[in-house]
Structure formats: structure tokens, C-alpha cells
Coordinates of all heavy atoms in Angstrom, one line a residue:
M24 N 103.2 29.0 194.2 CA 103.8 27.7 194.2 C 102.9 26.8 193.4 O 101.7 26.6 193.8 CB 104.1 27.2 195.6 CG 104.7 25.9 195.7 SD 105.2 25.3 197.3 CE 106.3 26.5 197.9
A25 N 103.5 26.1 192.4 CA 102.8 25.2 191.6 C 102.4 24.0 192.3 O 103.2 23.4 193.1 CB 103.5 24.9 190.3
R26 N 101.3 23.3 192.0 CA 100.9 22.0 192.5 C 101.5 21.0 191.6 O 101.5 21.1 190.4 CB 99.4 21.8 192.6 CG 98.7 22.7 193.5 CD 97.2 22.5 193.5 NE 96.6 22.8 192.2 CZ 95.9 22.2 191.4 NH1 95.3 21.0 191.8 NH2 95.5 22.6 190.2
V27 N 102.1 19.9 192.1 CA 102.7 18.8 191.3 C 101.7 17.7 191.4 O 101.4 17.2 192.6 CB 104.1 18.5 191.8 CG1 104.6 17.2 191.1 CG2 105.1 19.6 191.6
I28 N 101.2 17.3 190.3 CA 100.2 16.3 190.2 C 100.6 15.0 189.5 O 101.1 15.2 188.3 CB 98.9 16.7 189.6 CG1 98.3 17.9 190.4 CG2 97.9 15.7 189.6 CD1 97.3 18.8 189.7
L29 N 100.8 13.9 190.1 CA 101.2 12.7 189.4 C 100.0 12.0 188.7 O 99.0 11.7 189.4 CB 101.8 11.7 190.4 CG 103.0 12.1 191.1 CD1 103.5 11.0 192.2 CD2 104.2 12.5 190.4
Q30 N 100.1 11.8 187.4 CA 99.0 11.1 186.7 C 99.0 9.7 187.3 O 100.1 9.1 187.7 CB 99.3 11.1 185.3 CG 99.3 12.4 184.6 CD 97.9 13.1 184.7 OE1 97.7 13.8 185.7 NE2 97.1 12.9 183.8
E31 N 97.9 9.0 187.3 CA 97.7 7.7 187.9 C 98.7 6.7 187.3 O 99.2 5.8 188.0 CB 96.3 7.2 187.7 CG 95.9 6.0 188.5 CD 94.4 5.7 188.4 OE1 93.6 6.6 188.5 OE2 94.1 4.5 188.1
E32 N 99.0 6.8 186.0 CA 99.9 5.9 185.3 C 101.3 5.9 185.9 O 102.1 4.9 185.7 CB 99.9 6.1 183.8 CG 98.5 5.8 183.2 CD 97.6 7.0 183.2 OE1 97.9 8.2 183.7 OE2 96.3 6.8 182.9
V33 N 101.7 7.0 186.5 CA 103.0 7.1 187.1 C 103.2 6.1 188.1 O 104.4 5.6 188.3 CB 103.3 8.5 187.6 CG1 104.6 8.7 188.3 CG2 103.3 9.5 186.4
L34 N 102.2 5.8 188.8 CA 102.3 4.7 189.9 C 102.7 3.4 189.2 O 103.4 2.6 189.8 CB 101.0 4.6 190.6 CG 100.6 5.8 191.4 CD1 99.3 5.6 192.0 CD2 101.5 6.3 192.3
D35 N 102.2 3.1 188.0 CA 102.6 1.9 187.3 C 104.1 1.9 186.9 O 104.9 0.9 187.0 CB 101.8 1.7 186.0 CG 100.4 1.5 186.1 OD1 100.0 1.0 187.2 OD2 99.6 1.8 185.2
D36 N 104.6 3.1 186.6 CA 106.0 3.3 186.4 C 106.8 3.0 187.7 O 107.8 2.2 187.7 CB 106.4 4.7 186.0 CG 105.8 5.1 184.6 OD1 105.6 4.2 183.8 OD2 105.5 6.3 184.4
F37 N 106.4 3.5 188.8 CA 107.0 3.2 190.1 C 107.0 1.7 190.4 O 108.0 1.1 190.9 CB 106.4 3.9 191.3 CG 106.6 5.4 191.2 CD1 105.8 6.3 191.9 CD2 107.6 5.9 190.5 CE1 106.0 7.7 191.9 CE2 107.8 7.4 190.4 CZ 107.1 8.2 191.1
D38 N 105.9 1.0 190.1 CA 105.8 -0.4 190.3 C 106.8 -1.2 189.5 O 107.4 -2.1 189.9 CB 104.4 -1.0 190.0 CG 103.3 -0.6 191.0 OD1 103.7 -0.3 192.2 OD2 102.1 -0.7 190.8
R39 N 106.9 -0.7 188.2 CA 107.9 -1.4 187.4 C 109.4 -1.2 187.9 O 110.1 -2.1 187.9 CB 107.8 -0.7 185.9 CG 108.6 -1.4 184.8 CD 108.5 -0.9 183.5 NE 109.1 0.4 183.3 CZ 108.5 1.6 183.2 NH1 107.2 1.8 183.3 NH2 109.3 2.7 183.1
F40 N 109.7 0.0 188.4 CA 111.0 0.2 189.0 C 111.2 -0.7 190.2 O 112.2 -1.3 190.4 CB 111.1 1.7 189.5 CG 111.0 2.7 188.3 CD1 110.6 4.0 188.7 CD2 111.3 2.4 187.0 CE1 110.5 5.0 187.7 CE2 111.2 3.4 186.0 CZ 110.8 4.6 186.3
L41 N 110.2 -0.8 191.1 CA 110.3 -1.6 192.3 C 110.5 -3.0 191.9 O 111.4 -3.7 192.5 CB 109.1 -1.4 193.2 CG 108.9 -0.1 194.0 CD1 107.5 0.0 194.6 CD2 110.0 0.0 195.0
D42 N 109.7 -3.5 190.9 CA 110.0 -4.9 190.6 C 111.4 -5.1 190.0 O 112.1 -6.2 190.4 CB 109.0 -5.3 189.4 CG 107.6 -5.5 189.9 OD1 107.3 -5.6 191.1 OD2 106.6 -5.4 189.0
H43 N 111.9 -4.2 189.2 CA 113.3 -4.3 188.7 C 114.3 -4.3 189.8 O 115.2 -5.1 189.8 CB 113.5 -3.2 187.6 CG 114.9 -3.3 187.1 ND1 115.3 -4.0 186.1 CD2 116.0 -2.4 187.4 CE1 116.6 -3.8 185.8 NE2 117.0 -2.8 186.6
L44 N 114.2 -3.4 190.7 CA 115.2 -3.2 191.8 C 115.1 -4.4 192.7 O 116.2 -4.9 193.1 CB 114.8 -1.9 192.5 CG 115.1 -0.6 191.8 CD1 114.5 0.6 192.5 CD2 116.5 -0.4 191.5
M45 N 114.0 -4.9 193.0 CA 113.9 -6.2 193.9 C 114.5 -7.3 193.2 O 115.2 -8.2 193.7 CB 112.4 -6.4 194.2 CG 111.9 -5.3 195.3 SD 110.3 -5.4 195.9 CE 109.6 -6.8 195.2
E46 N 114.3 -7.5 191.9 CA 114.7 -8.5 191.1 C 116.2 -8.5 191.1 O 116.9 -9.6 191.1 CB 114.3 -8.4 189.6 CG 114.7 -9.5 188.6 CD 114.2 -9.3 187.3 OE1 113.0 -8.9 187.2 OE2 115.0 -9.5 186.3
H47 N 116.9 -7.4 191.2 CA 118.4 -7.3 191.1 C 118.9 -7.0 192.5 O 120.1 -6.7 192.7 CB 118.8 -6.1 190.2 CG 118.5 -6.5 188.8 ND1 117.3 -6.3 188.1 CD2 119.3 -7.0 187.9 CE1 117.4 -6.7 186.9 NE2 118.6 -7.2 186.7
G48 N 118.1 -7.3 193.6 CA 118.7 -7.3 195.0 C 119.1 -6.0 195.5 O 120.0 -5.9 196.3
V49 N 118.6 -4.9 195.0 CA 119.0 -3.6 195.5 C 118.4 -3.4 196.9 O 117.2 -3.7 197.1 CB 118.4 -2.4 194.5 CG1 118.6 -1.1 195.0 CG2 119.0 -2.7 193.1
E50 N 119.1 -2.9 197.8 CA 118.7 -2.6 199.1 C 117.9 -1.4 199.2 O 118.0 -0.4 198.5 CB 119.9 -2.3 200.0 CG 120.8 -3.6 200.3 CD 121.9 -3.3 201.3 OE1 121.6 -2.4 202.2 OE2 123.0 -3.9 201.2
D51 N 116.7 -1.6 199.9 CA 115.7 -0.5 200.1 C 115.2 0.1 198.8 O 115.4 1.3 198.7 CB 116.2 0.5 201.1 CG 115.1 1.3 201.7 OD1 113.9 0.9 201.5 OD2 115.4 2.2 202.4
P52 N 114.6 -0.7 197.9 CA 114.1 -0.1 196.7 C 113.1 1.0 196.9 O 113.0 1.9 196.0 CB 113.5 -1.3 195.9 CG 113.3 -2.3 196.9 CD 114.3 -2.1 198.1
A53 N 112.3 0.9 197.9 CA 111.3 2.0 198.2 C 111.9 3.3 198.4 O 111.4 4.4 198.0 CB 110.4 1.6 199.4
E54 N 113.2 3.3 198.9 CA 113.8 4.6 199.1 C 114.1 5.3 197.7 O 114.1 6.5 197.7 CB 115.2 4.3 199.9 CG 116.0 5.6 200.1 CD 117.3 5.3 200.8 OE1 117.2 4.5 201.9 OE2 118.3 5.8 200.5
R55 N 114.4 4.5 196.7 CA 114.6 5.0 195.4 C 113.4 5.8 194.9 O 113.5 6.8 194.3 CB 114.9 4.0 194.4 CG 116.2 3.2 194.7 CD 117.4 3.9 193.9 NE 118.6 3.1 194.1 CZ 119.1 2.3 193.1 NH1 118.6 2.4 191.9 NH2 120.2 1.7 193.4
I56 N 112.2 5.2 195.1 CA 111.0 5.9 194.7 C 110.9 7.2 195.5 O 110.4 8.2 195.0 CB 109.7 5.0 195.0 CG1 109.9 3.6 194.1 CG2 108.5 5.7 194.6 CD1 110.1 3.8 192.7
G57 N 111.3 7.1 196.8 CA 111.2 8.4 197.6 C 112.1 9.4 197.0 O 111.7 10.7 197.1
E58 N 113.2 9.0 196.5 CA 114.2 9.9 195.9 C 113.6 10.6 194.7 O 113.8 11.8 194.5 CB 115.5 9.3 195.6 CG 116.3 8.8 196.7 CD 117.5 7.9 196.4 OE1 117.7 7.7 195.2 OE2 118.2 7.5 197.3
I59 N 112.9 9.9 193.9 CA 112.2 10.4 192.8 C 111.2 11.4 193.2 O 111.2 12.6 192.6 CB 111.6 9.3 191.8 CG1 112.7 8.3 191.4 CG2 110.8 10.0 190.7 CD1 112.2 7.1 190.6
T60 N 110.3 11.0 194.1 CA 109.2 12.0 194.5 C 109.8 13.2 195.1 O 109.2 14.3 194.9 CB 108.1 11.3 195.3 OG1 108.8 10.7 196.5 CG2 107.4 10.2 194.6
D61 N 110.8 13.0 195.9 CA 111.5 14.2 196.5 C 112.0 15.2 195.4 O 111.8 16.4 195.6 CB 112.6 13.8 197.4 CG 112.1 13.1 198.8 OD1 110.9 13.2 199.0 OD2 112.9 12.6 199.5
A62 N 112.6 14.6 194.4 CA 113.2 15.4 193.4 C 112.1 16.2 192.6 O 112.3 17.3 192.1 CB 114.0 14.6 192.4
L63 N 110.9 15.5 192.5 CA 109.8 16.2 191.8 C 109.4 17.5 192.4 O 108.8 18.3 191.8 CB 108.7 15.2 191.6 CG 109.0 14.1 190.6 CD1 107.8 13.0 190.7 CD2 109.1 14.6 189.2
R64 N 109.6 17.6 193.7 CA 109.2 18.8 194.5 C 109.8 20.1 193.9 O 109.3 21.1 194.1 CB 109.5 18.6 195.9 CG 108.5 17.6 196.5 CD 108.5 17.7 198.1 NE 107.7 16.7 198.6 CZ 108.0 15.5 199.2 NH1 109.3 15.3 199.3 NH2 107.1 14.7 199.6
V65 N 111.0 20.0 193.2 CA 111.6 21.2 192.7 C 110.6 21.8 191.7 O 110.7 23.1 191.4 CB 112.9 20.9 192.0 CG1 112.8 20.1 190.7 CG2 113.7 22.1 191.8
L66 N 109.8 21.1 191.1 CA 108.8 21.6 190.1 C 107.7 22.6 190.7 O 107.2 23.3 190.1 CB 108.1 20.5 189.4 CG 109.1 19.6 188.6 CD1 108.2 18.4 187.9 CD2 109.7 20.4 187.4
E67 N 107.6 22.5 192.1 CA 106.7 23.3 192.7 C 107.2 24.8 192.6 O 106.3 25.7 192.4 CB 106.6 23.1 194.3 CG 105.9 21.7 194.5 CD 105.9 21.3 196.0 OE1 106.7 21.9 196.8 OE2 105.2 20.4 196.4
T68 N 108.4 25.1 192.7 CA 109.0 26.4 192.7 C 109.6 26.7 191.3 O 109.8 27.9 191.0 CB 109.9 26.6 193.8 OG1 111.0 25.6 193.7 CG2 109.3 26.7 195.1
S69 N 110.0 25.7 190.5 CA 110.7 26.0 189.3 C 110.1 25.0 188.1 O 110.8 24.1 187.6 CB 112.2 25.6 189.5 OG 112.8 26.4 190.4
P70 N 108.9 25.3 187.7 CA 108.3 24.4 186.7 C 108.9 24.4 185.4 O 108.7 23.5 184.5 CB 106.8 24.9 186.7 CG 106.9 26.3 187.2 CD 107.9 26.4 188.2
F71 N 109.8 25.4 185.1 CA 110.4 25.5 183.8 C 111.8 24.9 183.8 O 112.6 25.1 182.8 CB 110.4 26.9 183.2 CG 109.0 27.4 183.0 CD1 108.5 28.4 183.8 CD2 108.3 27.0 181.9 CE1 107.2 28.8 183.6 CE2 107.1 27.4 181.6 CZ 106.5 28.4 182.4
I72 N 112.2 24.2 184.9 CA 113.6 23.8 185.1 C 113.9 22.7 184.1 O 115.0 22.5 183.7 CB 113.9 23.4 186.6 CG1 115.3 23.3 186.8 CG2 113.2 22.1 186.9 CD1 115.8 23.2 188.3
G73 N 113.0 21.9 183.7 CA 113.2 20.8 182.9 C 113.5 21.1 181.4 O 113.1 22.2 181.0
R74 N 114.2 20.2 180.8 CA 114.5 20.5 179.3 C 113.2 20.3 178.5 O 112.5 19.4 178.6 CB 115.6 19.6 178.9 CG 115.3 18.1 179.0 CD 116.5 17.3 178.5 NE 116.1 15.9 178.6 CZ 117.0 14.9 178.8 NH1 118.2 15.2 179.0 NH2 116.6 13.7 178.9
P75 N 113.0 21.3 177.5 CA 111.9 21.1 176.7 C 112.1 19.9 175.7 O 113.1 19.7 175.2 CB 111.8 22.5 175.8 CG 113.1 23.2 176.3 CD 113.8 22.5 177.3
T76 N 110.9 19.3 175.4 CA 111.0 18.2 174.4 C 110.6 18.6 173.0 O 110.7 17.7 172.1 CB 110.1 17.0 174.9 OG1 108.7 17.4 174.9 CG2 110.5 16.5 176.3
G77 N 110.1 19.7 172.9 CA 109.7 20.2 171.6 C 108.2 20.0 171.2 O 107.8 20.6 170.2
D78 N 107.5 19.4 172.1 CA 106.0 19.2 171.9 C 105.3 19.8 173.0 O 104.1 19.4 173.3 CB 105.8 17.7 171.7 CG 106.3 16.9 172.8 OD1 106.8 17.4 173.8 OD2 106.1 15.6 172.8
G79 N 105.8 20.8 173.7 CA 105.1 21.5 174.8 C 105.3 20.7 176.2 O 104.7 21.3 177.1
L80 N 106.0 19.7 176.1 CA 106.3 18.9 177.4 C 107.8 19.2 177.7 O 108.5 19.8 177.0 CB 106.0 17.4 177.2 CG 104.7 17.0 176.6 CD1 104.6 15.5 176.4 CD2 103.6 17.4 177.6
R81 N 108.0 18.9 179.0 CA 109.4 19.0 179.4 C 109.9 17.7 180.2 O 109.0 16.9 180.6 CB 109.4 20.2 180.4 CG 109.0 21.6 179.8 CD 109.0 22.7 180.8 NE 110.3 23.2 180.8 CZ 110.8 24.2 180.0 NH1 110.1 24.5 178.9 NH2 112.0 24.6 180.1
E82 N 111.1 17.6 180.3 CA 111.7 16.4 181.0 C 112.6 16.9 182.2 O 113.5 17.7 182.0 CB 112.5 15.6 180.1 CG 111.8 14.8 179.0 CD 112.7 14.0 178.2 OE1 113.8 14.4 177.8 OE2 112.2 12.8 178.0
L83 N 112.4 16.4 183.3 CA 113.2 16.6 184.4 C 114.1 15.5 184.7 O 113.7 14.3 184.9 CB 112.4 16.9 185.8 CG 113.1 17.1 187.0 CD1 113.9 18.5 187.0 CD2 112.2 17.1 188.2
V84 N 115.5 15.7 184.6 CA 116.5 14.7 184.9 C 116.7 14.5 186.3 O 117.0 15.5 187.0 CB 117.8 15.0 184.1 CG1 118.8 13.9 184.4 CG2 117.5 15.1 182.6
I85 N 116.5 13.3 186.9 CA 116.7 13.1 188.3 C 117.8 12.1 188.5 O 117.7 11.0 188.0 CB 115.4 12.5 188.8 CG1 114.2 13.5 188.6 CG2 115.5 12.2 190.3 CD1 112.9 12.8 188.7
G86 N 118.9 12.5 189.3 CA 119.9 11.6 189.6 C 120.8 11.2 188.4 O 120.6 11.8 187.3
T87 N 121.7 10.3 188.6 CA 122.6 9.8 187.5 C 122.8 8.3 187.6 O 122.5 7.7 188.7 CB 123.9 10.5 187.6 OG1 124.6 10.2 188.9 CG2 123.8 12.1 187.5
G88 N 123.4 7.7 186.6 CA 123.7 6.3 186.5 C 122.5 5.5 186.9 O 121.4 5.6 186.5
A89 N 122.8 4.5 187.7 CA 121.9 3.5 188.2 C 120.8 4.1 188.9 O 119.6 3.6 189.1 CB 122.5 2.4 189.0
R90 N 121.0 5.3 189.5 CA 120.0 6.0 190.3 C 119.3 7.2 189.4 O 118.8 8.1 189.9 CB 120.6 6.7 191.5 CG 121.0 5.6 192.5 CD 121.6 6.2 193.7 NE 120.8 6.3 195.0 CZ 120.5 5.3 195.7 NH1 121.0 4.1 195.5 NH2 119.8 5.4 196.8
G91 N 119.5 7.1 188.1 CA 119.0 8.2 187.1 C 117.7 7.8 186.6 O 117.4 6.7 186.1
Y92 N 116.8 8.9 186.6 CA 115.5 8.8 186.0 C 115.2 10.0 185.3 O 115.8 11.0 185.5 CB 114.5 8.5 187.2 CG 114.6 7.3 188.0 CD1 115.5 7.2 189.1 CD2 114.1 6.1 187.5 CE1 115.8 6.1 189.7 CE2 114.4 4.9 188.2 CZ 115.2 4.9 189.3 OH 115.5 3.7 189.9
V93 N 114.1 10.0 184.5 CA 113.7 11.2 183.8 C 112.1 11.2 183.9 O 111.5 10.2 183.6 CB 114.1 11.1 182.2 CG1 113.5 12.3 181.5 CG2 115.5 10.9 182.1
A94 N 111.6 12.4 184.3 CA 110.2 12.5 184.5 C 109.7 13.5 183.3 O 110.2 14.5 183.1 CB 109.9 13.2 185.8
L95 N 108.7 12.9 182.6 CA 108.0 13.7 181.6 C 106.9 14.5 182.2 O 106.0 13.9 182.9 CB 107.5 12.8 180.5 CG 106.9 13.5 179.3 CD1 107.9 14.2 178.5 CD2 106.2 12.5 178.5
Y96 N 106.8 15.8 181.9 CA 105.7 16.6 182.6 C 105.3 17.7 181.7 O 105.9 18.1 180.8 CB 106.2 17.1 183.9 CG 107.2 18.2 183.9 CD1 106.8 19.5 184.0 CD2 108.6 17.9 183.9 CE1 107.8 20.5 184.0 CE2 109.5 18.9 183.9 CZ 109.2 20.2 184.0 OH 110.1 21.2 183.9
E97 N 104.2 18.3 182.1 CA 103.5 19.4 181.5 C 103.2 20.5 182.5 O 102.6 20.1 183.5 CB 102.3 19.0 180.6 CG 101.7 20.1 179.9 CD 100.4 19.6 179.0 OE1 99.9 18.6 179.3 OE2 100.0 20.4 178.2
Y98 N 103.5 21.8 182.2 CA 103.2 22.8 183.1 C 102.0 23.5 182.6 O 102.0 24.0 181.4 CB 104.4 23.7 183.4 CG 104.0 24.9 184.2 CD1 103.5 24.8 185.5 CD2 104.2 26.2 183.8 CE1 103.1 25.8 186.3 CE2 103.9 27.3 184.6 CZ 103.4 27.1 185.9 OH 103.1 28.1 186.6
D99 N 101.0 23.7 183.4 CA 99.8 24.5 183.0 C 99.8 25.8 183.9 O 99.5 25.8 185.0 CB 98.6 23.8 183.3 CG 97.2 24.5 183.0 OD1 97.3 25.6 182.7 OD2 96.2 23.9 183.2
P100 N 100.3 27.0 183.3 CA 100.5 28.2 184.0 C 99.1 28.8 184.5 O 99.1 29.5 185.4 CB 101.2 29.1 183.1 CG 101.2 28.5 181.6 CD 100.8 27.1 181.9
E101 N 98.1 28.5 183.6 CA 96.7 29.1 184.0 C 96.3 28.6 185.3 O 95.7 29.4 186.2 CB 95.8 28.7 182.9 CG 94.4 29.3 183.1 CD 93.4 29.0 182.1 OE1 93.9 28.8 180.9 OE2 92.3 28.9 182.3
H102 N 96.5 27.3 185.6 CA 96.2 26.7 186.8 C 97.3 26.5 187.8 O 97.2 25.9 188.9 CB 95.5 25.3 186.6 CG 94.3 25.4 185.8 ND1 94.2 25.2 184.5 CD2 93.1 25.8 186.2 CE1 93.0 25.4 184.1 NE2 92.2 25.8 185.1
D103 N 98.5 26.9 187.4 CA 99.8 26.9 188.2 C 99.9 25.3 188.7 O 100.0 25.1 189.9 CB 99.8 27.8 189.4 CG 101.2 28.0 189.9 OD1 102.1 27.7 189.2 OD2 101.3 28.4 191.1
A104 N 99.8 24.5 187.7 CA 99.9 23.0 188.1 C 100.9 22.3 187.1 O 100.9 22.6 185.9 CB 98.5 22.4 188.0
V105 N 101.7 21.4 187.7 CA 102.6 20.6 186.9 C 102.0 19.1 186.9 O 101.6 18.6 188.0 CB 104.0 20.5 187.6 CG1 104.9 19.5 186.9 CG2 104.6 21.9 187.5
F106 N 101.8 18.6 185.8 CA 101.2 17.3 185.5 C 102.4 16.3 185.2 O 102.9 16.4 184.1 CB 100.1 17.2 184.5 CG 99.0 18.1 185.0 CD1 98.9 19.4 184.5 CD2 98.0 17.6 185.8 CE1 97.8 20.2 184.8 CE2 96.9 18.4 186.2 CZ 96.8 19.6 185.6
V107 N 102.8 15.4 186.1 CA 103.8 14.4 185.8 C 103.1 13.3 185.0 O 102.2 12.7 185.6 CB 104.5 14.0 187.0 CG1 105.6 12.9 186.7 CG2 105.1 15.2 187.8
L108 N 103.6 13.1 183.8 CA 102.9 12.2 182.9 C 103.5 10.8 183.0 O 102.8 9.8 182.8 CB 102.8 12.8 181.4 CG 102.4 14.1 181.3 CD1 102.5 14.6 179.9 CD2 100.9 14.2 181.7
A109 N 104.8 10.7 183.0 CA 105.5 9.4 183.0 C 106.9 9.6 183.6 O 107.4 10.7 183.7 CB 105.6 8.9 181.6
V110 N 107.5 8.5 184.1 CA 108.8 8.4 184.6 C 109.4 7.2 184.0 O 108.8 6.2 184.0 CB 108.8 8.5 186.2 CG1 110.2 8.4 186.7 CG2 108.1 9.6 186.8
R111 N 110.7 7.4 183.7 CA 111.4 6.3 183.1 C 112.9 6.3 183.7 O 113.4 7.3 184.1 CB 111.5 6.3 181.6 CG 112.3 7.4 181.0 CD 112.4 7.3 179.5 NE 113.1 8.5 178.9 CZ 114.4 8.7 178.8 NH1 115.2 7.8 179.3 NH2 114.8 9.7 178.2
S112 N 113.6 5.2 183.6 CA 114.9 5.1 184.0 C 115.7 5.8 182.9 O 115.3 5.8 181.7 CB 115.4 3.7 184.0 OG 116.8 3.5 184.1
Q113 N 116.9 6.4 183.2 CA 117.6 7.0 182.1 C 118.2 6.0 181.2 O 118.6 6.4 180.1 CB 118.8 7.9 182.8 CG 118.4 9.1 183.5 CD 119.6 10.0 184.0 OE1 120.7 9.7 183.7 NE2 119.3 10.9 184.9
K114 N 118.3 4.8 181.6 CA 118.8 3.7 180.7 C 117.7 3.2 179.8 O 118.1 2.4 178.9 CB 119.3 2.6 181.5 CG 120.6 3.1 182.4 CD 121.2 2.0 183.2 CE 122.5 2.4 183.9 NZ 123.1 1.4 184.6
E115 N 116.4 3.5 180.1 CA 115.4 3.1 179.1 C 115.3 4.0 177.9 O 115.6 5.2 178.0 CB 114.0 3.2 179.8 CG 113.8 2.1 180.9 CD 112.5 2.2 181.6 OE1 112.3 3.2 182.4 OE2 111.6 1.5 181.3
A116 N 114.9 3.4 176.8 CA 114.7 4.1 175.6 C 113.2 4.5 175.5 O 112.4 3.6 175.3 CB 115.2 3.4 174.4
G117 N 112.9 5.8 175.6 CA 111.5 6.1 175.5 C 110.6 5.8 176.7 O 111.1 5.2 177.7
Y118 N 109.4 6.3 176.8 CA 108.5 6.0 177.8 C 107.6 4.8 177.4 O 107.1 4.7 176.3 CB 107.6 7.3 178.1 CG 108.5 8.4 178.5 CD1 109.0 9.3 177.6 CD2 108.7 8.6 179.9 CE1 109.8 10.4 178.1 CE2 109.6 9.6 180.3 CZ 110.1 10.5 179.4 OH 110.8 11.6 179.8
K119 N 107.3 4.0 178.4 CA 106.7 2.7 178.1 C 105.3 2.8 177.7 O 104.8 2.1 176.9 CB 106.7 1.8 179.4 CG 108.1 1.4 179.8 CD 108.8 0.6 178.8 CE 110.2 0.1 179.2 NZ 111.0 -0.3 178.1
R120 N 104.6 3.8 178.2 CA 103.2 4.0 177.8 C 102.9 5.0 176.8 O 101.7 5.2 176.3 CB 102.4 4.4 179.1 CG 102.4 3.3 180.2 CD 101.8 3.8 181.5 NE 102.6 4.7 182.2 CZ 102.6 6.0 182.1 NH1 101.7 6.7 181.4 NH2 103.4 6.8 182.8
L121 N 103.8 5.8 176.3 CA 103.6 6.9 175.4 C 104.1 6.6 174.0 O 104.9 5.8 173.7 CB 104.3 8.2 175.9 CG 103.9 8.5 177.3 CD1 104.7 9.7 177.7 CD2 102.4 8.8 177.4

């Protein structure tokens, strides 16, 4: 079972989501972050499930519509570890930090 490791900068992504959700009056915005982290657990058993991006990285699509997010990650088979590099809303164009 692969370890899923969130890069420190992913917490900044979560803060950005929380700010946006609170600004728009979404009920229980912290639950949305929990949904994202729960979905990332699939990478423990299926690290190749995400779509390849062409540069050795993969993207995991999480949810749909207003609850849709995309996680950019890299799988290191030698260490059996998944490194989540960034998360964005499906409505965002590109990753904010990359």
C-alpha cells in the first residue's frame, strides 16, 4: 500500500478553497476539504488511477461541478509513495503555484 504524502504547499491550496467557500456562504466548507482528502486515499491502493499529464505526473479528478477538484501528483514506485503536489478546482485554469 502506497503512502500518500501531501506537499506542504497543498495546505495553501486548501486555505484558498476555504476562503472561497466561506466568501460564497457555502455550508460546512471544512467538509469539502475532508471530501478531497478522503478521495486522495484511493491513491494508496491505485496510484496509477489518475490520468497522465505527459510529464511523468498524473491528475486525479475528484468530484464534479462545484464540488470538483483535480489533484496533481507523482508516484514513486521505488519508495511506494504518492506525492500530492497541488490541488485545484476543476473550474480553475492551471495550478496556482506551478
Side-chain angles (χ1 to χ4, degrees):
M24 184 176 292
R26 291 178 299 134
V27 176
I28 301 164
L29 302 179
Q30 297 298 89
E31 191 173 317
E32 295 84 5
V33 171
L34 299 178
D35 294 335
D36 295 332
F37 290 162
D38 285 341
R39 189 175 76 252
F40 301 153
L41 285 171
D42 289 345
H43 176 80
L44 294 169
M45 290 179 3
E46 179 181 321
H47 289 86
V49 173
E50 289 185 32
D51 202 5
E54 183 179 313
R55 295 270 187 108
I56 302 302
E58 291 171 1
I59 296 169
T60 57
D61 288 347
L63 291 172
R64 288 195 179 105
V65 73
L66 298 173
E67 293 175 344
T68 56
S69 302
F71 294 107
I72 197 169
R74 62 185 177 206
T76 64
D78 54 3
L80 303 176
R81 301 181 85 79
E82 289 183 319
L83 178 68
V84 177
I85 302 166
T87 61
R90 291 176 107 75
Y92 298 90
V93 180
L95 182 69
Y96 71 94
E97 180 175 20
Y98 176 56
D99 179 354
E101 183 177 329
H102 295 101
D103 198 22
V105 174
F106 297 95
V107 179
L108 308 173
V110 181
R111 67 173 173 84
S112 165
Q113 286 183 14
K114 295 181 178 183
E115 290 179 283
Y118 296 93
K119 296 298 180 195
R120 295 174 284 97
L121 304 176

